[in-house]
Amino acid sequence: MNKKQITKKQYDFLEHELKYLEKEQFIVDKESARILSIYEVKNVQFITILAAIGALLIGLGVLTFVASNWMYLTKSVKLFIIILFLILVNTAGVFVTREFPKTARSLHYIGILVFGAGIFLIEQMFNISINFNHSFLLWASGTIIIGWYLKDAAILMFTSFLLFIYLNGSMFLDEKSYPLAILLFLPTLYVLLRGSAYPVILIFFVNALSINTFVLFLLEFVPKFSPDHSATIISGLLFIIGIILIYIPLPLSAKRITHIQGHILHGITAIILTYDFGLWFSLFYFFFLLYLIQKGSLISIVIICALIFRYYLHSVDFLPTSFTFIIGGIILLGFGFLFERQRKRGGKTIEK
């Protein structure tokens, strides 16, 4: 029987609980040792990090060597070096995948660095004049294919980073170029999330990229239809998107981080909207937050504190500071009471 690999933290927890069960005589003596023998602590992180740093250093070393001798090489030699190195590292990665998967992954990391550097070097070599954001788009096109092949969250996260540069560079620095390609990449990234078992950091980056895309498109098009009320319309639409995100049905592993991002989005935009819609909207939103807290949303307490602070800054001239703190304290004390009562009833929170 192959031993199951678990983290050191999981192993320590399991060992502690088994000893407790032995002590309470739920399991017989030496049973815990037998159960623990089918597990072993994995040391994946250290090897992966070591190999990734090694890949990064090799990639940077080769690229700086080529760059330092760039002026002495002919164009054909330069192109040959880039293509040859790209083929060699990726081919080597494919051949050693089965026996040395972590080393293979590192070789593909080098290939990604060479591919990106090659794009910029070839542009310089042949005097190709394109906007830098298109170069990042081309780089992202290559990395997403490698990320799909390897099911590698780190590569897909790097792809998201490249797309952030492409997206914001297209909107702010290259105003003639609309980043329509992002509409193709985003669904692809969400499909690939399923294949990589929804790692939290990658979900955060892809969701942030989607929100960034939506915000920039609103900033681009809403002022053309309603220049006088564009800020209110944009904030209102983002507020609705934030609410949708906290209710959208998702797999458990993707739900928590998406819901937190939804809370942050509707919280920020709601405070902005209080300046446009006044007290009635604030009261409505306040009761909505109470409802979310009653459902177990701890982050809604933070939003209520931000809402109180917003009105404290606005009313500081005529409202005594002590009175504001008393109101805030009463509200937070009430939340403490609600959560304690909920815990006694066996309720649970949806965020930690």
Side-chain angles (χ1 to χ4, degrees):
M1 179 179 179
N2 293 328
K3 291 188 176 183
K4 183 178 180 180
Q5 291 194 335
I6 58 177
T7 64
K8 179 71 167 55
K9 186 177 179 181
Q10 291 172 330
Y11 189 89
D12 290 342
F13 175 78
L14 182 62
E15 185 179 30
H16 178 269
E17 291 302 307
L18 287 172
K19 285 181 178 177
Y20 170 75
L21 292 175
E22 269 191 359
K23 182 181 176 182
E24 298 295 325
Q25 297 183 340
F26 280 99
I27 57 177
V28 298
D29 291 343
K30 298 182 180 179
E31 189 71 12
S32 63
R34 192 181 73 83
I35 296 174
L36 281 174
S37 66
I38 65 174
Y39 295 92
E40 66 179 4
V41 178
K42 62 181 178 181
N43 197 20
V44 177
Q45 288 297 98
F46 174 73
I47 298 172
T48 302
I49 293 172
L50 191 68
I53 293 174
L56 180 64
L57 291 177
I58 292 172
L60 290 176
V62 172
L63 291 174
T64 52
F65 174 77
V66 173
S68 62
N69 295 279
W70 198 243
M71 64 183 74
Y72 305 111
L73 304 174
T74 63
K75 289 184 178 180
S76 56
V77 173
K78 295 172 183 175
L79 186 62
F80 176 76
I81 290 174
I82 294 170
I83 295 175
L84 177 65
F85 198 59
L86 191 61
I87 293 174
L88 282 178
V89 292
N90 282 298
T91 304
V94 170
F95 273 101
V96 301
T97 294
R98 178 168 294 180
E99 293 187 23
F100 306 100
K102 298 178 182 62
T103 303
R105 202 166 288 260
S106 300
L107 289 170
H108 288 300
Y109 290 166
I110 297 175
I112 287 172
L113 290 176
V114 172
F115 178 64
I119 291 171
F120 292 100
L121 290 174
I122 289 173
E123 287 175 7
Q124 182 192 33
M125 189 166 55
F126 294 102
N127 296 318
I128 300 173
S129 180
I130 62 172
N131 292 313
F132 80 98
N133 44 303
H134 290 160
S135 303
F136 280 95
L137 177 63
L138 184 59
W139 195 355
S141 303
T143 59
I144 199 170
I145 294 173
I146 299 294
W148 165 76
Y149 170 71
L150 296 175
K151 304 291 187 295
D152 189 303
I155 295 176
L156 294 175
M157 198 163 66
F158 184 64
T159 304
S160 302
F161 172 73
L162 296 176
L163 290 173
F164 267 111
I165 298 176
Y166 158 70
L167 176 67
N168 292 284
S170 299
M171 293 298 292
F172 293 113
L173 301 178
D174 182 20
E175 297 179 354
K176 295 179 181 177
S177 176
Y178 295 101
L180 294 176
I182 196 70
L183 301 180
L184 178 64
F185 276 88
L186 280 176
T188 307
L189 284 172
Y190 279 109
V191 170
L192 294 179
L193 272 176
R194 300 178 60 184
S196 54
Y198 300 104
V200 172
I201 298 178
L202 182 56
I203 293 169
F204 174 83
F205 269 91
V206 176
N207 284 346
L209 184 63
S210 298
I211 294 170
N212 189 184
T213 302
F214 193 66
V215 169
L216 292 182
F217 270 86
L218 290 178
L219 289 173
E220 177 66 24
F221 294 108
V222 171
K224 294 178 181 178
F225 294 100
S226 180
D228 295 333
H229 303 93
S230 59
T232 304
I233 295 172
I234 291 171
S235 299
L237 289 173
L238 292 176
F239 175 75
I240 294 170
I241 294 294
I243 300 292
I244 292 173
L245 285 180
I246 65 173
Y247 285 108
I248 189 169
L250 292 169
L252 185 62
S253 51
K255 188 165 64 175
R256 175 169 294 177
I257 188 66
T258 304
H259 285 188
I260 290 175
Q261 287 175 302
H263 282 299
I264 294 173
L265 185 60
H266 77 68
I268 293 174
T269 51
I271 290 175
I272 295 173
L273 289 171
T274 58
Y275 290 94
D276 293 325
F277 294 131
L279 193 59
W280 69 269
F281 175 79
S282 301
L283 289 173
F284 164 77
Y285 185 61
F286 178 77
F287 286 113
F288 175 65
L289 290 174
L290 290 181
Y291 167 75
L292 292 178
I293 291 170
Q294 195 272 334
K295 292 291 184 183
S297 171
L298 297 180
I299 199 170
S300 295
I301 296 177
V302 179
I303 300 173
I304 282 188
C305 291
L307 193 64
I308 292 171
F309 188 67
R310 169 255 183 274
Y311 274 99
Y312 165 70
L313 291 177
H314 182 71
S315 59
V316 67
D317 293 335
F318 59 87
L319 190 67
T321 305
S322 56
F323 188 58
T324 305
F325 284 131
I326 289 171
I327 294 175
I330 291 172
I331 293 172
L332 293 177
L333 191 63
F335 292 152
F337 170 74
L338 285 174
F339 277 114
E340 186 176 11
R341 190 177 67 172
Q342 187 178 19
R343 179 172 294 179
K344 284 185 177 180
R345 290 178 177 177
K348 60 181 180 179
T349 59
I350 59 176
E351 301 135 10
K352 291 182 178 177

